[in-house]
């Protein structure tokens, strides 16, 4: 998982360029858990800065802050709009867990309410917001309520909050369009929809967030609920959320024409799924677009006897699905991967494989009164033959993921042997699909010509490193049976390595990007040799005794799959077993982690 990055230190040490109001809030007391203060102290500072037409900042030093006379913080409406004055509210610790807004048992309001009129000049960062909200009979917004505003919500932990209507973690209402980046939003509850985040009549940008184990008691969208809203969601993880009435991970309703790109939607659940299913996502009367997402291990267990769409449920909608991977999702009755009724669906360059139903038919896709356009997909059991007989380029072949199915940690990167490589279609009328789930580009440029894209969420795009024995040249030459070839491979420590031989390697040499429209191993070469693993030195020397290959035109060494990308990002496609972030629930004892107060505050005006 990625680490939440803190902006607090740079904020504390910054020197304002104009005479703004810059304040620090210092804890006024002590508890057995460390420094403590009240919401009242913070609210007073917020009101002072909000009254300055030039804006300013409030840095809240580490501690646990609880309600006093004030039960939740409110950012008043700005003195001016379009643009609003710059205003930052930040926790002063190294991590969000060091500056805690704890509503506790007295929580009667959202942790933070943002009043109408603010744009992205308002930044809220580096807090843990916990046990807030007006409870399961209260209004929207447990951890945060954003009312017709567009603030930046960056690097916070919003956990264990409750809302009565929508948005257990964050509720966005009346046209709100926030920029929500790099937050952990987990273990929140709403009676209505949107256990983690709800957006109603709004938009916004959601990126690099983890939405985990959020729950709706009697609504849809355990992780995210959209109602007539059009946000852009990029590079998020939706994990183990539960939506009672559908959309365990995500629910789009009533004209929510959102765009989802490069997200991991895994292990979400729907129970009691009336009026619709969708363990991973549910779409009603909307036209969203899904590019390069992975739907994995989502389930629908309908206690009323229905239960459709383990990965994705679509009804009355017009949906584009391009470069998605739906794998090992499960439905109770129909459409383990995808269930569609009364809709128009364009399904391009996608993998549906090893999805299942408990008691029903069509484990991969089930469609009722639906117009399908299916192009260049890999669908187990060949669903497209009945639904779109003219579908060109579709296949029914094991996608050969990096690790086998039914493992504790399946890895959905494609491997060299995958039939999905270079089998996709390019639709110039579709603007998305230009990046894969790792944010790598699609269609590498090869000698002035673009490759066809791959099928599925991942674009096979490793790096080739090859250095052969200096005493002999094996490039465009004959390697006779029984020849020992010494190969040196350079790459990141721990990366998998395979070596093989081919008649069509176009660019032999050191540190060359993979770029080949037709990578085919010579049939005489047998299987790839490996896997080997690069040691800590970064150099692997292999002696390979070639057998059964009288004429091999080139040697190849492959470092993969995509080891460099996996090493520099948290491993998105290796679906690791979930780890309980709050094993003891949401108690006070879980609040603080190594509080180290920061006492350097910005100068006054």
């Amino acid at each position: 998982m990625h680490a939440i990055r803190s902006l607090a230190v740079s904020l504390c040490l910054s020197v304002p360029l104009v005479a703004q109001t810059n304040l620090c809030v210092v804890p006024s007391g002590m508890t057995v858990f460390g420094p403590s203060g009240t919401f009242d102290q913070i609210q007073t500072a917020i009101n002072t800065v909000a009254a300055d037409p030039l804006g300013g900042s409030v840095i809240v030093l580490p501690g646990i802050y609880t309600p006093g006379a004030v039960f939740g913080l409110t950012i008043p409406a700005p003195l001016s709009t379009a643009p609003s004055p710059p205003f930052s509210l930040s926790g002063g610790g190294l991590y969000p867990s060091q500056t805690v807004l704890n509503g506790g048992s007295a929580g009667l309001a959202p942790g933070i309410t943002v009043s109408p009129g603010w744009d992205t000049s308002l930044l809220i960062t580096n807090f843990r917001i916990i046990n807030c909200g007006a409870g399961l009979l209260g209004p929207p917004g447990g951890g945060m309520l954003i009312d017709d505003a567009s603030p930046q919500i960056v690097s916070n932990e919003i956990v264990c909050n409750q809302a009565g209507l929508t948005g257990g973690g964050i509720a966005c209402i009346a046209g709100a369009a926030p920029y929500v980046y790099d937050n952990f939003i987990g273990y929140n509850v709403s009676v209505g929809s949107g256990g983690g985040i709800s957006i109603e009549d709004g938009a916004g940008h959601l990126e690099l967030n983890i939405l985990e184990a959020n729950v709706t008691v009697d609504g849809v969208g355990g992780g995210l609920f959209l109602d007539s809203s059009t946000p852009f969601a990029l590079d998020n993880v939706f994990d183990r959320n539960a939506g009672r009435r559908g959309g365990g991970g995500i629910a789009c309703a009533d004209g929510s024409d959102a765009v989802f790109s490069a997200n991991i939607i895994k292990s979400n659940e729907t129970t009691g799924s009336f009026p619709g299913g969708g363990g991973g996502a549910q779409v009603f009367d909307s036209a969203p677009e899904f590019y390069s997402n992975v739907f994995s291990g989502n389930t629908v267990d309908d206690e009323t006897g229905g239960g459709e769409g383990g990965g994705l449920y679509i009804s009355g909608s017009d949906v584009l699905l391009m470069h998605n991977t739906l794998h090992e999702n499960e439905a109770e009755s129909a459409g383990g991967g995808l269930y569609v009724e009364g809709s128009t669906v364009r399904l391009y360059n996608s993998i549906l494989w090893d999805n299942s139903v408990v008691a029903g038919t069509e484990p991969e896709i089930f469609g009722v009164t639906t117009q399908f356009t299916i192009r260049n997909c890999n669908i187990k059991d060949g669903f497209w033959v009945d639904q779109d007989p003219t579908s060109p380029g579709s296949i029914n072949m094991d996608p050969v993921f990096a690790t086998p199915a039914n493992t504790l940690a399946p890895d959905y990167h494609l491997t060299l042997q995958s039939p999905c490589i270079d089998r996709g279609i390019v639709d110039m009328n579709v603007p998305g699909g230009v990046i894969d789930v790792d944010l790598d580009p699609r269609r590498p440029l090869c000698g002035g010509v673009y490759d066809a894209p791959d099928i599925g969420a991942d674009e096979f795009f490793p790096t080739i490193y090859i250095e052969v024995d200096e005493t002999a040249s094996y490039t465009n030459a004959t390697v006779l049976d029984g020849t020992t070839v010494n190969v040196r491979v350079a790459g990141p420590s721990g990366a998998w390595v395979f070596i093989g031989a081919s008649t069509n390697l176009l660019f032999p040499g050191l540190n060359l990007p993979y770029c080949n429209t037709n990578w085919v191993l010579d049939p005489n070469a047998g299987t790839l040799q490996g896997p080997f693993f690069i040691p800590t030195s970064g150099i692997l020397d292999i002696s390979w005794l070639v057998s059964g290959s009288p004429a091999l035109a080139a040697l190849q060494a492959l470092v993969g799959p995509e080891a460099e990308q996996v090493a520099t990002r948290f491993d998105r496609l290796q679906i690791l077993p979930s780890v309980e972030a709050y094993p003891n629930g949401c108690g006070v004892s879980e609040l603080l982690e190594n509080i180290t107060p920061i006492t350097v505050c910005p100068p006054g005006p």
Side-chain angles (χ1 to χ4, degrees), residues 429-447:
N429 295 318
V430 178
V434 296
I435 58 173
D436 78 348
V437 72
D438 292 317
L439 308 186
D440 297 328
R442 296 279 181 186
R443 304 179 62 217
L445 182 64
C446 296

Side-chain angles (χ1 to χ4, degrees), residues 42-262:
I42 304 173
Q43 187 65 60
T44 299
I46 289 173
N47 293 342
T48 301
V49 173
D52 187 338
L54 297 178
S57 64
V58 175
I59 295 99
V60 182
L61 295 192
I64 300 178
Y65 295 82
T66 55
V70 174
F71 291 101
L73 303 179
T74 298
I75 312 292
L79 296 180
S80 60
T81 60
S84 55
F87 185 1
S88 66
L89 173 64
S90 61
L94 298 177
Y95 308 102
S97 58
Q98 295 176 340
T99 309
V100 181
L101 305 180
N102 179 19
S105 59
L108 296 176
I112 299 177
T113 297
V114 179
S115 301
W118 289 100
D119 56 28
T120 54
S121 63
L122 172 60
L123 169 67
I124 301 173
T125 184
N126 207 39
F127 289 99
R128 176 179 285 182
I129 304 172
I130 187 168
N131 293 331
C132 293
L136 299 182
L137 299 178
M144 192 174 296
L145 174 62
I146 303 174
D147 184 358
D148 191 18
S150 304
Q152 299 183 67
I153 310 300
V154 178
S155 301
N156 300 282
E157 293 181 4
I158 302 173
V159 294
C160 304
N161 303 287
Q162 296 184 348
L165 294 178
T166 60
I170 302 175
C172 306
I173 63 174
Y179 178 82
V180 183
Y181 181 84
D182 189 37
N183 300 277
F184 180 86
I185 302 169
Y187 303 87
N188 302 288
V189 180
S190 68
V191 170
S193 297
I197 300 176
S198 67
I199 304 178
E200 300 178 62
D201 300 308
H205 184 102
L206 313 177
E207 182 175 351
L208 206 65
N209 302 287
I210 297 174
L211 291 93
E212 179 177 301
N214 301 286
V215 176
T216 67
V217 176
D218 198 33
V220 299
L224 173 66
F225 170 62
L226 305 178
D227 183 8
S228 304
S229 297
T230 58
F232 177 63
L234 172 69
D235 200 16
N236 302 284
V237 176
F238 297 85
D239 181 17
R240 294 186 299 139
N241 302 285
R244 173 160 172 78
R245 301 252 179 218
I250 299 166
C252 301
D254 299 328
S256 291
D257 303 342
V259 175
F260 297 89
S261 181

Side-chain angles (χ1 to χ4, degrees), residues 350-362:
S350 294
I351 297 173
L352 289 97
W353 201 264
D354 281 341
N355 299 287
S356 62
V357 292
V358 175
T361 60
E362 302 292 357

Side-chain angles (χ1 to χ4, degrees), residues 1 36 77 88 123 153 158 169 190 227 239 241 295 338 341 358 432 459 475 529 538 571 577-578:
M1 310 296 276
S36 68
S88 66
L123 169 67
I153 310 300
I158 302 173
S190 68
D227 183 8
D239 181 17
N241 302 285
F295 294 79
L338 173 63
E341 63 179 20
V358 175
E459 187 75 14
T475 301
Q529 305 298 305
D571 195 1
S578 298

